[in-house]
Amino acid sequence: MLTADQLKTFNEQGYVTIPDLFSTEEVDAMTAEVGRLKELDHPQRLLETDNDLVRAIYAVEDRSEVLQLLTRDPRLVEATRAMLRDDVYIHQTQVSPKMAFRSAAWEWHQDFLYWSRDDAMPTSNVLSVGIFLDDVTEFNGPMFVVKGSHRLDLDQVTSWNGEGWEKTARVGDKYQLSPETLSKVIDKSNLTSVKGTRGTAVFFHGGLLHCSSPNLSPWHRTVLFVRYNAMGNALGPVADPRPEWLANRHPEVVEPLDGPFLGRPHAPAAS
Ligand code: 6CS
Ligand code: FE
């Protein structure tokens, strides 16, 4: 379970990394499911703009019972409840395969800016947990984060490039920060990259300023993101809502399993 120190780190830094949260066997099971979904041509599997590599897969729990159980694993749900101080529901899930040699960067952003502007999410009391399905090193496109930036309200200095959500889901540069702003908020004391062996999990606040560099290495960098929102922070009405597979508008409290997601017989088939 989450230690007091880990919760303190999350509250102060805006993220906390937990090495080896999942076992090799569990990561292998997730990897097998992700591999199957990468091969499946479906509307939530988006390709890179300039090649046929998979850029992102969303709503993975809709097509995988194993990954659906994973989203209810107590190691994720209990920790998230403690960080958000509320019952939680799934706002979005996303696999970012970041393929070797070819996958592009994700520009600097705060996730919450997307969710407040496009989905009318009231506050930034939301988080993502990224589960490393490959080792993440300095070479294969790790996430860069700015410690403590979850407290920054950058809404007034974030511009819109005029794109709709369709491109954002794949390229992610709809909302941009200028080099001047970035140079002001980033310095040597707060910039770091999030690395770890496969099975590591990083929980990060919806306001955390982050990006990820291109992957020019021979090694993939697959991360599975589950984005949990506080039940008290459910999305408000918007004129043209994004599809539910990007922004869930039917919040249901996630009740944790009574044990590890693999350790329990698959949920009985619906009667
Ligand atoms: O629009 C979204 O929901 C997505 N966009 C980015 C850049 N990161 C968070 C989220 O996956
Ligand atoms: Fe993001």
Side-chain angles (χ1 to χ4, degrees):
M1 284 311 145
L2 196 71
T3 66
D5 267 356
Q6 288 168 334
L7 183 57
K8 185 163 175 287
T9 301
F10 176 81
N11 288 329
E12 288 175 359
Q13 311 276 7
Y15 77 102
V16 63
T17 303
I18 305 182
D20 304 321
L21 187 62
F22 293 99
S23 69
T24 301
E25 184 206 6
E26 291 173 323
V27 178
D28 290 348
M30 296 180 221
T31 301
E33 287 299 287
V34 166
R36 182 174 60 78
L37 294 175
K38 274 172 72 175
E39 294 308 312
L40 199 61
D41 180 3
H42 64 287
Q44 285 69 54
R45 184 194 72 165
L46 308 183
L47 304 183
E48 297 267 4
T49 40
D50 58 353
N51 60 48
D52 58 354
L53 294 176
V54 177
R55 170 73 171 176
I57 308 172
Y58 292 91
V60 295
E61 73 280 15
D62 292 354
R63 289 186 173 83
S64 163
E65 188 182 339
V66 168
L67 297 180
Q68 205 285 330
L69 288 169
L70 168 67
T71 65
R72 297 177 54 206
D73 189 291
R75 288 166 287 184
L76 300 182
V77 180
E78 301 300 2
T80 299
R81 278 178 167 170
M83 293 174 195
L84 301 185
R85 302 170 308 286
D86 197 351
D87 278 333
V88 297
Y89 74 94
I90 297 174
H91 169 63
Q92 179 189 102
T93 58
Q94 176 197 30
V95 169
S96 177
K98 198 53 102 62
M99 307 292 278
F101 293 122
R102 314 258 295 278
S103 271
W106 287 88
E107 302 294 330
W108 283 106
H109 65 280
Q110 292 173 305
D111 290 342
F112 173 60
L113 251 292
Y114 284 78
W115 300 335
S116 63
R117 291 187 180 184
D118 291 3
D119 307 327
M121 187 181 282
T123 79
S124 62
N125 191 30
V126 59
L127 66 79
S128 299
V129 53
I131 302 168
F132 293 0
L133 303 192
D134 295 310
D135 291 347
V136 179
T137 70
E138 63 270 38
F139 302 114
N140 62 346
M143 217 163 77
F144 294 167
V145 300
V146 179
K147 293 177 196 169
S149 56
H150 59 306
R151 286 188 284 266
L152 294 176
D153 177 353
L154 299 174
D155 186 48
Q156 298 308 312
V157 290
T158 299
S159 60
W160 173 38
N161 69 1
E163 298 283 356
W165 61 261
E166 296 81 353
K167 192 138 171 279
T168 296
R170 195 173 51 213
V171 177
D173 61 355
K174 176 175 183 180
Y175 297 128
Q176 302 180 333
L177 289 155
S178 69
E180 292 70 31
T181 299
L182 291 168
S183 306
K184 270 195 214 122
V185 298
I186 301 173
D187 63 42
K188 289 192 177 63
S189 69
N190 60 22
L191 178 59
T192 188
S193 60
V194 184
K195 298 182 285 250
T197 51
R198 69 195 294 260
T200 296
V202 54
F203 293 77
F204 60 102
H205 188 278
L208 189 75
L209 183 56
H210 64 284
C211 71
S212 72
S213 48
N215 183 359
L216 301 178
S217 83
W219 307 290
H220 296 324
R221 188 235 62 181
T222 309
V223 176
L224 166 59
F225 293 100
V226 184
R227 305 180 192 281
Y228 293 98
N229 192 18
M231 282 303 286
N233 195 34
L235 304 185
V238 288
D240 52 343
R242 297 200 295 170
E244 294 268 356
W245 52 268
L246 261 183
N248 176 12
R249 291 191 164 273
H250 295 86
E252 285 174 30
V253 173
V254 177
E255 291 300 344
L257 299 170
D258 50 15
F261 75 103
L262 276 194
R264 150 197 175 115
H266 280 184
S271 47

